[in-house]
Amino acid sequence: MKILLNGKLYNRDEAVCSVMDHGLLYGISVFETLRLYDGFPFLYKDHYLRLSSALVELGVKCPFTDEDFIEMIQFTAYSNELNQAYIRVTVTAGIEELGIPYGEYHSPQVIVMATPLKQTRSNKKGLIPLNVPRNTPEGYQRYKASFINNRIGKRELGNQPHMEGLFLTREGYIAEGIVSNIFFVKSGILHTPSLETGILPGVTRKFVMALARKLGIPFQEGLYKLEELETSEEVFITNSVQEIVPISFIQNRIWDKHPLSSFLHGEYKKYVYDLNSYRNI
């Protein structure tokens, strides 16, 4: 694997960061994961916006524009001879002395990785409620940064690739999956947990809601207890790599039909190769 580090390509074992990087010392770093379709990083502007907004909150100078963002991604994928890929872009605070500064970080480090897709969309998954609750965001909203809560949830779930763990808030409201957002259908209405629950504002979540609006599918964001999910007509999860995945069971409830998620996924796939998809919906 070739990795793009601060604009230069390195072999995997040669791409190294300083032990004085505040991304390592204090966890001051953010990242985005997205999917490359025939060389095109789908919804890259939305990913860029979320990343750059996180950097503003952390006081880290964003070192690239949205045009630079797509160029870095495509160059890294091309250098690895990949046309379909899983992309990760990480920005760390950069090298500083010990101690958390009150001012801005002006020398962030940028790491871009492109790897083959080991797994694309699953036909369906099971959903397992986790005992560990979803923690609240450390800032005003959740960004793709610290994954400690996700790590604890993943350890609880264990090695079950066809399962997704479901976080509830401390108040018992449905939050999100370990690496996904949650949707369910009840009385013909599409529902998804509100950002008030502290979930990640997923790029695919946002796109699915926009797609539902365009298609005239009624939807609501809200605070929902687990019982709402268990008595729903259909459940599915979303993320940028796996797209839209139906949920086949949760606890004692089984779903064998997924008409809306199948329909939405078919509509979703119409946009993934369209350079203007983010403008057309």
Side-chain angles (χ1 to χ4, degrees), residues 52-65:
S52 58
S53 297
L55 294 175
V56 168
E57 184 169 334
L58 291 172
V60 179
K61 180 181 178 182
C62 186
F64 44 73
T65 65

Side-chain angles (χ1 to χ4, degrees), residues 5-254:
L5 172 61
N6 299 328
K8 296 182 179 180
L9 274 177
Y10 296 88
N11 291 324
R12 175 175 173 170
D13 293 340
E14 298 170 342
V16 295
C17 294
S18 170
V19 295
M20 297 303 292
D21 192 305
H22 277 206
L24 172 64
L25 292 176
Y26 302 110
I28 304 176
S29 67
V30 292
F31 67 97
E32 286 292 322
T33 54
L34 55 160
R35 186 165 164 180
L36 198 74
Y37 296 86
D38 284 353
F40 173 59
F42 185 47
L43 297 174
Y44 73 92
K45 285 200 172 185
D46 295 276
H47 285 282
Y48 170 78
L49 179 62
R50 187 170 65 179
L51 178 67
S52 58
S53 297
L55 294 175
V56 168
E57 184 169 334
L58 291 172
V60 179
K61 180 181 178 182
C62 186
F64 44 73
T65 65
D66 58 346
E67 289 85 3
D68 298 329
F69 187 67
I70 189 173
E71 287 178 8
M72 292 188 306
I73 290 169
Q74 292 180 319
F75 176 70
T76 305
Y78 175 81
S79 300
N80 284 279
E81 299 181 347
L82 294 172
N83 207 32
Q84 317 285 333
Y86 167 92
I87 304 293
R88 174 171 166 139
V89 180
T90 305
V91 181
T92 76
I95 299 170
E96 296 286 346
E97 296 301 317
L98 288 175
I100 301 175
Y102 63 85
E104 302 289 306
Y105 286 100
H106 294 285
S107 302
Q109 300 203 76
V110 181
I111 306 161
V112 185
M113 302 178 183
T115 60
L117 286 167
K118 295 180 180 179
Q119 176 182 339
T120 55
R121 179 178 182 265
S122 300
N123 290 329
K124 58 184 67 174
K125 284 192 173 187
L127 197 61
I128 298 178
L130 300 169
N131 293 316
V132 60
R134 191 58 170 123
N135 63 0
T136 56
E138 293 184 309
Y140 295 107
Q141 64 177 298
R142 187 175 301 282
Y143 294 112
K144 293 201 77 158
S146 171
F147 259 38
I148 290 177
N149 198 206
N150 305 63
R151 166 65 174 167
I152 295 170
K154 189 69 173 180
R155 283 180 58 79
E156 181 182 332
L157 179 66
N159 183 24
Q160 300 189 74
H162 298 295
M163 303 292 181
E164 171 65 312
L166 172 64
F167 284 115
L168 305 177
T169 67
R170 293 189 184 277
E171 298 76 23
Y173 294 116
I174 300 162
E176 61 189 343
I178 296 174
V179 291
S180 63
N181 287 119
I182 306 290
F183 287 85
F184 66 93
V185 181
K186 195 163 189 180
S187 301
I189 299 174
L190 182 63
H191 298 267
T192 191
S194 167
L195 296 182
E196 292 179 51
T197 59
I199 62 175
L200 181 75
V203 168
T204 305
R205 172 186 182 272
K206 176 183 173 182
F207 187 80
V208 167
M209 289 193 295
L211 192 59
R213 184 182 299 112
K214 180 177 182 180
L215 296 169
I217 300 168
F219 71 89
Q220 295 178 1
E221 297 177 77
L223 301 176
Y224 308 108
K225 295 286 188 174
L226 187 59
E227 293 76 19
E228 291 283 336
L229 201 64
E230 294 172 329
T231 56
S232 65
E233 298 145 23
E234 183 178 349
V235 180
F236 62 89
I237 57 176
T238 63
N239 69 30
S240 294
V241 176
Q242 297 182 49
E243 304 169 339
I244 298 172
V245 180
I247 293 298
S248 58
F249 71 89
I250 177 172
Q251 299 188 143
N252 295 322
R253 179 63 196 274
I254 297 174

